[in-house]
């Protein structure tokens, strides 16, 4: 009997749509995903043309506001008397961060949000893998993923409300408007891109886990203990059905590899590079401002709290990018262990031949798939690297800080 059951395929596409619906709708409202997007919405070609034209007009208007807000903020604050002088290092980092954020948002609004090919790419492949390999309990795992994503939304909404309220209460003037516009545009777009990334990679990790479960069942053949360790070590002899199953898993894993490579190494990878760079600069600015403000007694408790919230949010966003990659890496390492067991000397020649190709493919998955545009490794080590870089930069900037009390 086949280990990959030929169960009803029809519900799997609907299941995937149900899993992604929330993040897709959020992304469409935040202008980071095209609308309409099959299979989530349907429209005639005439309706699509009208909607696309209207969204382009709205996007151009939003880009104008986003570009105008920093300049308006600069001129509105130019005459303000500060309690302490702002160090040049903070000014330079702020200008660089603003340039990166503004250009990235303009690219998303004017170009990226109209690209349907990237969404069709991962949707088609995920549907194909689900139809070819999906198990009856896959809905439980995908439902858990959807609930976890939903749980993050109230937390992010609370964070946004707290920061916006802080702007309003502190400023109590029209100068708060451009700050709120910049903050909302940045946070909403970054949130939608992040949650979609989590949904895609979370689904990939779930499918890889089920593939590894099947490979382990082939290796252990039912004679296992509670820890899934073979009770008796003996040569593995694959049946015809097992051979077809392993080869099918290999071909389906290749589709998942293509998704991860396309997301991390394609257009989204370019955006991710900009997000990571802007986040790194933002953390430097916030922490250095926090140090300078506390040092000269210029910050009240609400300002200190908002800066700590901003820092925690950015670190949390980095975690949401790195953790799904770590889950996929864990499943690939687990799969490699099983494949090496199947590839041991003493097993039949056909088993070794099949697993040789599989091992090469999985090793490539581990080596190349988790690099953002071939530049940065995006796994849990990224957080350690950023923390180390922040520490080094902040130590240097604090030592040579030029913050002085403003003359009275």
């Amino acid at each position: 009997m086949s280990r990959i059951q030929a169960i009803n395929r029809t519900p799997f596409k609907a299941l995937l749509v149900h899993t992604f619906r929330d993040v897709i709708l959020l992304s469409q409202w935040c202008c980071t995903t095209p609308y309409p997007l099959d299979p989530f919405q349907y429209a005639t070609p005439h309706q699509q043309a009208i909607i696309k034209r209207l969204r382009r007009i709205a996007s151009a208007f939003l880009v104008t506001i986003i570009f105008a807000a920093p300049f308006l903020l600069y001129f509105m604050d130019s005459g303000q008397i500060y309690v302490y002088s702002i160090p040049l290092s903070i000014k330079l980092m702020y200008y660089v961060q603003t340039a990166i954020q503004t250009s990235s948002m303009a690219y998303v609004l004017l170009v990226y949000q109209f690209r349907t090919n990237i969404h069709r790419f991962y949707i088609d492949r995920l549907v194909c893998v689900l139809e070819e390999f999906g198990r009856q309990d896959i809905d439980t795992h995908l439902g858990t993923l959807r609930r976890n994503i939903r749980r993050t939304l109230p937390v992010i909404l609370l964070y946004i409300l707290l920061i916006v309220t802080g702007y309003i209460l502190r400023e109590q003037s029209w100068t708060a408007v451009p700050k709120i516009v910049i903050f909302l545009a940045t946070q909403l777009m970054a949130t939608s891109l992040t949650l979609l990334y989590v949904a895609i990679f979370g689904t990939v990790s779930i499918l890889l886990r089920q593939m590894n479960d099947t490979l382990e069942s082939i290796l252990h053949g039912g004679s296992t203990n509670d820890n899934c360790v073979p009770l008796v070590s003996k040569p593995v002899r694959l049946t015809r059905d097992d051979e077809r199953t392993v080869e099918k898993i290999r071909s389906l894993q290749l589709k998942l590899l293509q998704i991860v490579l396309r997301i991390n190494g394609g257009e989204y990878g370019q955006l991710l590079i900009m997000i990571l760079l802007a986040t790194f600069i933002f953390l430097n600015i916030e922490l250095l401002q926090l140090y300078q403000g506390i040092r000269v007694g210029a910050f009240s408790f609400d300002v200190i709290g908002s800066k700590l919230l901003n820092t925690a949010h950015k670190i949390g966003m980095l975690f949401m990018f790195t953790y799904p990659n770590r889950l996929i890496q864990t499943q690939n390492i687990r799969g490699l262990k099983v494949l090496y067991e199947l590839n041991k000397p003493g097993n039949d020649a056909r088993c070794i031949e099949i697993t040789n190709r599989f091992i090469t493919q999985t090793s490539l998955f581990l080596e190349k798939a988790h690099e953002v545009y071939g530049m940065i490794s995006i796994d849990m080590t990224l957080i350690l690297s950023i923390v180390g870089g922040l520490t080094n930069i902040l130590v240097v900037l604090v030592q040579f800080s030029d913050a002085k009390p403003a003359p009275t």
Side-chain angles (χ1 to χ4, degrees):
M1 183 177 178
S2 175
R3 296 178 186 272
I4 301 180
Q5 300 293 331
I7 59 178
N8 186 10
R9 311 293 189 191
T10 306
F12 288 119
K13 186 173 183 179
L15 178 61
L16 187 69
V17 170
H18 181 69
T19 303
F20 278 74
R21 185 178 299 279
D22 293 337
V23 292
I24 290 294
L25 289 177
L26 176 64
S27 299
Q28 289 173 335
W29 277 103
C30 296
C31 297
T32 58
T33 298
Y35 178 89
L37 180 64
D38 182 52
F40 301 94
Q41 300 96 14
Y42 299 96
T44 64
H46 179 66
Q47 291 173 333
Q48 290 180 4
I50 295 175
I51 293 172
K52 189 174 182 179
R53 191 176 299 114
L54 292 176
R55 285 177 70 91
R56 286 192 181 278
I57 295 173
S59 298
F61 178 71
L62 289 174
V63 168
T64 303
I65 294 176
I66 290 171
F67 269 97
F71 294 99
L72 181 62
L73 184 62
Y74 176 80
F75 286 110
M76 292 176 72
D77 281 346
S78 60
Q80 184 175 346
I81 300 175
Y82 292 95
V83 179
Y84 68 98
S85 60
I86 300 177
L88 179 62
S89 57
I90 294 181
K91 291 181 180 179
L92 292 177
M93 286 191 292
Y94 174 76
Y95 294 148
V96 173
Q97 180 207 357
T98 302
I100 292 173
Q101 283 186 348
T102 305
S103 59
S104 299
M105 287 189 290
Y107 174 75
V108 171
L109 289 171
L110 298 178
V111 180
Y112 181 79
Q113 72 154 318
F114 300 102
R115 299 287 175 84
T116 59
N117 56 345
I118 183 173
H119 300 283
R120 295 188 186 280
F121 185 87
Y122 69 77
I123 289 172
D124 290 344
R125 280 158 179 76
L126 287 177
V127 169
C128 177
V129 175
L130 280 169
E131 290 178 347
E132 294 292 330
F133 190 77
R135 295 182 175 182
Q136 293 179 345
D137 62 343
I138 189 70
D139 58 334
T140 303
H141 300 291
L142 292 179
T144 301
L145 173 64
R146 184 168 182 255
R147 285 192 297 273
N148 289 335
I149 292 175
R150 280 188 160 188
R151 289 189 184 108
T152 63
L153 291 176
V155 178
I156 295 173
L157 179 60
L158 178 62
Y159 160 73
I160 292 175
L161 288 176
L162 287 174
I163 298 300
V164 171
T165 303
Y167 278 135
I168 295 173
L169 294 178
R170 283 197 306 270
E171 302 290 339
Q172 295 185 354
S173 66
W174 290 105
T175 57
V177 175
K179 293 181 181 180
I180 293 174
V181 168
I182 296 173
F183 173 78
L184 287 178
T186 304
Q187 295 305 319
L188 291 176
M189 294 176 70
T191 298
S192 63
L193 290 170
T194 304
L195 292 181
L196 182 58
Y197 188 90
V198 171
I200 296 171
F201 279 55
T203 305
V204 170
S205 68
I206 289 171
L207 290 169
L208 287 174
R209 184 194 311 160
Q210 294 203 336
M211 291 178 183
N212 289 334
D213 290 342
T214 303
L215 289 175
E216 286 184 346
S217 70
I218 293 174
L219 173 64
H220 300 148
S223 299
T224 60
N225 56 19
D226 293 337
N227 296 322
C228 292
V229 178
L231 295 174
V232 180
S233 179
K234 57 183 180 181
V236 178
R237 298 288 184 266
L238 296 183
T239 64
R240 290 289 182 88
D241 177 57
D242 290 339
E243 291 178 5
R244 287 193 297 268
T245 300
V246 173
E247 192 62 28
K248 190 169 189 177
I249 290 176
R250 186 188 68 81
S251 65
L252 294 177
Q253 190 215 50
L254 180 60
K255 294 183 182 296
L256 299 180
L257 169 62
Q258 291 171 344
I259 293 174
V260 177
L261 285 172
R262 177 71 179 271
I263 297 295
N264 281 339
E267 281 186 281
Y268 191 95
Q270 296 175 357
L271 288 175
L272 192 50
I273 286 287
M274 295 295 102
I275 291 173
L276 294 176
L277 184 57
T279 300
F280 181 75
I281 297 174
F282 178 85
L283 288 173
N284 275 284
I285 294 173
E286 288 294 283
L287 294 177
L288 188 56
Q289 277 188 330
L290 187 62
Y291 169 79
Q292 297 290 346
I294 294 176
R295 180 184 176 187
V296 300
F299 286 164
S300 58
F301 286 109
D302 62 319
V303 176
I304 295 174
S306 66
K307 291 191 176 297
L308 291 176
L309 273 177
N310 287 331
T311 302
H313 174 263
K314 293 301 182 184
I315 294 175
M317 189 176 69
L318 289 175
F319 181 80
M320 293 177 71
F321 280 120
T322 56
Y323 186 66
N325 281 276
R326 182 57 183 169
L327 290 178
I328 294 175
Q329 286 178 328
T330 301
Q331 291 304 320
N332 282 325
I333 292 172
R334 177 189 170 198
L336 270 180
K337 291 179 180 178
V338 177
L339 291 172
Y340 279 123
E341 289 292 326
L342 292 171
N343 196 256
K344 279 184 176 180
N347 296 340
D348 65 71
R350 180 60 178 163
C351 178
I352 294 176
E353 178 186 351
I354 292 175
T355 53
N356 275 336
R357 295 195 297 268
F358 207 158
I359 289 172
T360 302
Q361 178 177 296
T362 306
S363 300
L364 175 66
F365 204 151
L366 279 169
E367 181 181 358
K368 299 294 184 182
H370 304 286
E371 292 183 352
V372 182
Y373 213 63
M375 297 173 62
I376 301 174
S377 295
I378 183 165
D379 51 22
M380 298 304 289
T381 59
L382 176 65
I383 295 181
L384 295 177
S385 300
I386 289 179
V387 171
L390 283 172
T391 303
N392 291 333
I393 292 176
L394 289 174
V395 166
V396 173
L397 291 178
V398 167
Q399 286 178 341
F400 297 95
S401 173
D402 58 349
K404 298 178 182 179
T408 57

